Amino acid sequence: MDLRKVRNIGISAHIDSGKTTLSERILFYAGRIHKIEDVRGGGDGATMDFMELEKERGITITSAATSLKWEGHSINLIDTPGHVDFTVEVERSLRVLDGAVLVLCSVGGVQSQSMTVDRQMKRYNVPRLAFINKMDRTGANPESVTKQVRDKLGADAVMMQLPIGREDQFSGVIDLITMKAYYFDGSNGEKIRTEAIPADQVEEAAEARTHMLEALSMYSDELMELLLSEGEVTEKLIHKIVRDATINQGFTPVYLGSAYKNKGVQLLMDAVTRYLPSPLDRKFVGIDPKDPTARIPLESDPAKPFVGMAFKIMDDEFGQLTFTRVYQGTVKKGEMYFNQRTGKKDRFSRIVKMHSDKREDVEMGEAGDIVAIMGLDCASGDTYAAEPNYATLESMFVAEPVIKMS
Ligand code: GDP
């Protein structure tokens, strides 16, 4: 597994902004729900449309994590509970993410719930992209929503696209890096047509590009100098700066679309693979079970001793399904691992990867990956490792000593 091509991402959203619809579209385009041939190349292999898909709603995103492929990348889409509750469950799901997509409604913008989840994400340093959804709605105002992301969430949010057409006329986007227009065709928006920027938007696009480059120049001396000397700014350089600024410095690139109308989802996913971090871009530390003040650095290296955290437990007809993020080493089917909390040795007799509603048996899971262990008896939040007392990911609850009254 090429770790550089792994993305563990969550979709966080205020209720009703379209998180479910977006997740379904992502799975659809990735061919996981129903295989469609050559989606991006313009083949006509679509075998099912979203109306039929809607009927199957409910089976698609019920999993705590679902794995899909996108343009040579392995993506684990992790369910991020959107509710306000400051629960340990929400925190746990956030900490296994390497990056996130913040979905916002083009009319409703940033609402109180988005602010709560965003604060939690900041605590775990989760880099994110914003997706302004429902661009087809009356009153859609991506400029205002972007400003809200800046003002209310304190993120350096910058639009990477301009809309072509507004509200019910929304038909595509202008990409401010390639300076091309993208239209979404086909019954499910699965074909992307590229054209020159419409004549009446050329000037607006040039201004927006300048604004975007100026914002990015804050993160790169090289770009700053190129802008001052009017040198050539290559697409490659912009991608590099956006990626670095997003991963390390809180830059938030903003994308536009309408999940329901099948617009903009593929370009968003391209940005996910391009700009959100791989496990190698992240730093993880465990707590030393023998000394809770000591930290154990963990490495996304498959050759090191295994350390993984059970972040979500679900029950189904086959028993307990334990969703586990592998932080270090390789977890192998049939091997025994130590529960760091109980000290007990448990056998991992069956390992699966979840693909929407299907499960695929696998022999192992490598550092950076997310797998589910079947039939394990443990609690959510438990850390497993190849050795006893090696490291734990979640601080253990230490009971206060009981003061005896004499
Ligand atoms: P969630 O609560 O964030 O998961 O939101 P849903 O995906 O369930 O969507 C909430 C409602 O918004 C549903 O009625 C969707 O059909 C609708 N919706 C989702 N995406 C769009 C969109 O792009 N445009 C419009 N107009 N409605 C949308």
Side-chain angles (χ1 to χ4, degrees):
M1 192 171 69
D2 182 354
L3 269 185
R4 287 169 308 174
K5 299 210 160 157
V6 174
R7 299 288 177 274
N8 294 312
I9 60 160
I11 300 181
S12 110
H14 182 277
I15 192 149
D16 229 32
S17 40
K19 174 173 132 174
T20 312
T21 314
L22 175 64
S23 309
E24 284 173 353
R25 268 34 169 190
I26 292 172
L27 289 173
F28 182 87
Y29 289 124
R32 263 297 164 199
I33 293 178
H34 292 281
K35 185 81 188 137
I36 46 178
E37 305 288 318
D38 194 22
V39 161
R40 301 169 56 87
D44 55 357
T47 52
M48 190 182 213
D49 69 17
F50 288 130
M51 294 308 283
E52 287 171 71
L53 187 61
E54 291 275 316
K55 285 192 228 136
E56 301 203 349
R57 206 178 161 132
I59 60 152
T60 53
I61 328 285
T62 47
S63 176
T66 189
S67 306
L68 54 103
K69 292 265 184 236
W70 194 272
E71 298 283 296
H73 289 71
S74 298
I75 297 181
N76 294 309
L77 204 58
I78 297 143
D79 185 42
T80 323
H83 43 80
V84 197
D85 305 0
F86 182 81
T87 60
V88 82
E89 281 282 297
V90 179
E91 300 260 324
R92 231 168 245 154
S93 75
L94 287 180
R95 63 178 302 168
V96 299
L97 305 178
D98 295 324
V101 175
L102 179 64
V103 183
L104 298 153
C105 169
S106 69
V107 183
V110 175
Q111 297 169 53
S112 55
Q113 246 181 42
S114 341
M115 291 163 78
T116 312
V117 178
D118 202 68
R119 256 198 306 278
Q120 292 171 333
M121 276 196 191
K122 280 213 188 91
R123 199 169 21 250
Y124 289 107
N125 287 321
V126 181
R128 62 230 187 299
L129 311 178
F131 181 66
I132 302 184
N133 189 35
K134 303 198 187 185
M135 282 296 299
D136 58 298
R137 278 191 64 189
T138 306
N141 191 338
E143 293 82 3
S144 159
V145 177
T146 303
K147 188 167 181 309
Q148 289 173 30
V149 177
R150 300 178 72 88
D151 297 347
K152 295 192 183 176
L153 303 181
D156 187 8
V158 175
M159 281 168 67
M160 306 302 284
Q161 301 171 328
L162 283 186
I164 302 175
R166 299 258 163 173
E167 303 177 342
D168 60 351
Q169 302 294 312
F170 174 67
S171 57
V173 295
I174 296 168
D175 181 307
L176 297 175
I177 298 181
T178 60
M179 289 302 263
K180 282 186 191 140
Y182 295 81
Y183 295 91
F184 311 101
D185 295 341
S187 55
N188 295 314
E190 69 276 15
K191 297 178 197 169
I192 298 179
R193 180 163 50 92
T194 316
E195 285 188 14
I197 297 174
D200 62 347
Q201 285 190 280
V202 168
E203 207 173 308
E204 181 196 0
E207 264 173 42
R209 180 184 166 89
T210 304
H211 169 76
M212 176 199 74
L213 291 178
E214 277 169 3
L216 284 175
S217 70
M218 298 301 149
Y219 301 97
S220 159
D221 292 343
E222 184 183 357
L223 179 60
M224 178 85 83
E225 276 161 31
L226 282 172
L227 293 182
L228 289 172
S229 63
E230 294 184 16
E232 193 204 347
V233 180
T234 61
E235 279 180 29
K236 199 171 160 212
L237 177 67
I238 307 177
H239 288 314
K240 184 173 159 285
I241 300 168
V242 175
R243 179 175 157 76
D244 179 61
T246 305
I247 293 177
N248 302 314
Q249 303 184 71
F251 182 74
T252 305
V254 178
Y255 293 84
L256 311 178
S258 167
Y260 190 74
K261 298 272 165 117
N262 316 320
K263 293 181 164 67
V265 177
Q266 294 121 299
L267 298 184
L268 170 74
M269 288 308 289
D270 288 349
V272 162
T273 57
R274 227 176 230 146
Y275 306 132
L276 287 181
S278 81
L280 291 174
D281 297 307
R282 309 266 293 158
K283 282 201 178 67
F284 302 104
V285 285
I287 298 164
D288 185 344
K290 300 176 289 295
D291 172 9
T293 60
R295 296 289 174 266
I296 312 279
L298 301 176
E299 274 178 63
S300 296
D301 175 354
K304 294 219 138 192
F306 164 67
V307 179
M309 185 182 78
F311 64 94
K312 174 87 184 176
I313 286 171
M314 291 177 109
D315 280 305
D316 70 2
E317 70 241 65
F318 304 108
Q320 181 168 309
L321 203 52
T322 305
F323 287 87
T324 305
R325 164 144 185 167
V326 185
Y327 282 93
Q328 180 177 281
T330 302
V331 60
K332 292 189 184 125
K333 179 178 153 182
E335 296 285 306
M336 310 276 279
Y337 297 104
F338 291 89
N339 184 323
Q340 302 290 290
R341 178 178 57 90
T342 62
K344 236 175 80 212
K345 209 173 175 188
D346 291 324
R347 188 176 297 282
F348 285 27
S349 44
R350 201 170 159 199
I351 306 178
V352 294
K353 282 200 73 114
M354 302 294 288
H355 303 290
S356 58
D357 58 330
K358 294 187 192 65
R359 54 188 78 192
E360 172 200 355
D361 274 275
V362 293
E363 294 297 313
M364 62 169 115
E366 288 182 353
D369 210 355
I370 293 195
V371 290
I373 320 297
M374 287 177 70
L376 205 57
D377 181 18
C378 69
S380 184
D382 280 354
T383 303
Y384 274 93
E387 296 158 26
N389 285 325
Y390 183 84
T392 166
L393 269 302
E394 203 161 273
S395 51
M396 277 181 287
F397 176 71
V398 183
E400 293 287 335
V402 180
I403 300 167
K404 286 208 182 100
M405 309 290 281
S406 54

